[in-house]
Amino acid sequence: KIKKYFVEYLEYHSEEVNTSYCFISWLERGGDQELIEKYLIEFLQENSKDEKTSFVLKAWLERNGDKQLIKEYLIEFLQENAKYESSSHVFSSWFDQNGDKELVKEYLIEFLQENTTNESISYVISSWLNQSGDKKLIKEYLIQFLQENSKNENTCYILGSWLDQDGDKTLIKEYLIQFLQENAKNENTSHVFNSWLDKDGDKTLIKEYLVKYLQENAKNAKTSYVLNSWLDKDGDKELIKEYLVKYLQENAQNTQTAYIYSIWLNKGG
């Protein structure tokens, strides 16, 4: 109902920096991208270097907006703002949408050098790794981040991504244990258990934390993946049997449960 007036507003105000809020809200609510494309470009031509533009770029990318359309403005933004924390939104969204990693690599390094212990780095490095970004490029910053943030609950994503991309387990082992000591019971810690087990990490090292997780999350749907990974790597069936039963009591009809039945039987359960 407001579309006509919204477009009329953009006709007159597309170049103003505060119009960023209009673009962000429109995109986040699933508004027609083609309708605002012309005005978005006018905005970016005028405001590409403004810090608020990070959220406009993020919103556009998260809606699978044309990367080519905004590429030059994204670079102009990073040239001016790469070292600031707000750039994390741009990097993460760009990588998550398979944006060209080489195009932003030098700015990524600038960002990482300036924000090594900042929590936002977790999402940026995870997105980089998830798109098969060079592990050597970010390794030193990953370690610096973990030294400061190993006990943070959101560190599960960076640990999971590092392991999923065949990162050196020994390099992060002490930080993984520090993370589990603090977060073993958290639902999202499932990512860490899955990735560690899937990459043949030492089961004995995480066993006590796995039990704490299962005690707290046995009935959670995500627990199927943890149980699968443990059994797939010939983990002790007796250790997880009571939690597997609790899981089944709650999730017997869940389609994911098929894998639990199959692997339990195949492993002689």
Side-chain angles (χ1 to χ4, degrees):
K1 291 181 180 180
I2 69 161
K3 184 167 73 170
K4 171 186 172 183
Y5 307 109
F6 183 68
V7 170
E8 188 177 333
Y9 176 85
L10 294 179
E11 287 280 0
Y12 287 94
H13 301 284
S14 64
E15 296 181 356
E16 295 175 14
V17 68
N18 283 337
T19 302
S20 62
Y21 301 113
C22 297
F23 290 122
I24 293 163
S25 297
W26 182 261
L27 290 164
E28 288 180 348
R29 294 301 299 273
D32 182 356
Q33 289 165 282
E34 287 187 16
L35 186 74
I36 66 163
E37 190 175 290
K38 165 177 170 273
Y39 307 110
L40 181 79
I41 294 302
E42 291 172 357
F43 171 84
L44 292 173
Q45 287 171 338
E46 191 67 27
N47 300 283
S48 63
K49 297 182 179 182
D50 191 282
E51 198 170 350
K52 288 180 182 177
T53 297
S54 67
F55 300 102
V56 177
L57 294 168
K58 172 180 180 281
W60 180 258
L61 290 166
E62 287 183 347
R63 283 290 316 283
N64 295 311
D66 183 358
K67 293 188 289 290
Q68 287 299 121
L69 191 74
I70 55 104
K71 185 172 72 172
E72 68 174 288
Y73 308 111
L74 182 139
I75 293 302
E76 288 174 3
F77 172 82
L78 291 175
Q79 286 170 340
E80 189 72 20
N81 298 282
K83 65 182 180 180
Y84 299 123
E85 182 185 356
S86 59
S87 295
S88 65
H89 306 297
V90 177
F91 287 118
S92 296
S93 301
W94 183 252
F95 298 142
D96 289 345
Q97 299 301 325
N98 295 306
D100 182 353
K101 295 186 290 292
E102 286 297 316
L103 189 72
V104 302
K105 187 167 73 172
E106 66 176 289
Y107 308 111
L108 175 68
I109 295 300
E110 188 178 341
F111 170 80
L112 294 174
Q113 287 172 337
E114 195 68 28
N115 296 275
T116 45
T117 60
N118 193 302
E119 187 179 337
S120 63
I121 272 199
S122 172
Y123 305 107
V124 175
I125 292 181
S126 292
S127 296
W128 174 261
L129 291 169
N130 291 341
Q131 299 302 327
S132 302
D134 182 1
K135 293 189 290 290
K136 291 180 182 177
L137 188 76
I138 54 89
K139 185 171 75 170
E140 68 173 288
Y141 307 110
L142 175 122
I143 294 302
Q144 289 173 32
F145 171 83
L146 291 174
Q147 286 170 341
E148 189 70 23
N149 296 280
S150 63
K151 297 181 179 182
N152 188 305
E153 64 179 313
N154 289 326
T155 296
C156 65
Y157 302 110
I158 201 169
L159 291 169
S161 296
W162 179 258
L163 292 166
D164 289 343
Q165 297 301 319
D166 297 311
D168 182 356
K169 293 189 291 289
T170 303
L171 189 72
I172 57 123
K173 185 170 73 171
E174 68 174 291
Y175 308 112
L176 182 137
I177 294 302
Q178 288 169 13
F179 170 80
L180 292 176
Q181 287 170 340
E182 191 70 23
N183 298 281
K185 295 181 178 182
N186 290 355
E187 179 184 346
N188 286 335
T189 299
S190 62
H191 301 300
V192 177
F193 290 122
N194 294 341
S195 300
W196 181 258
L197 292 166
D198 290 346
K199 297 300 180 181
D200 296 312
D202 182 355
K203 293 188 292 292
T204 303
L205 191 72
I206 65 161
K207 186 168 70 171
E208 68 174 289
Y209 308 111
L210 180 78
V211 170
K212 288 180 181 179
Y213 170 84
L214 292 173
Q215 287 170 339
E216 192 69 25
N217 298 280
K219 296 181 178 182
N220 191 300
K222 286 184 179 179
T223 296
S224 67
Y225 302 107
V226 178
L227 294 169
N228 281 336
S229 295
W230 180 259
L231 292 168
D232 186 53
K233 298 301 177 181
D234 297 314
D236 181 1
K237 292 188 292 294
E238 286 300 312
L239 186 76
I240 57 99
K241 185 169 71 172
E242 69 173 287
Y243 309 111
L244 181 139
V245 171
K246 288 179 181 178
Y247 170 83
L248 292 176
Q249 286 170 342
E250 189 71 22
N251 299 278
Q253 297 180 22
N254 189 317
T255 55
Q256 281 298 124
T257 302
Y259 301 106
I260 292 280
Y261 292 128
S262 177
I263 198 164
W264 178 257
L265 293 169
N266 288 339
K267 294 295 181 179

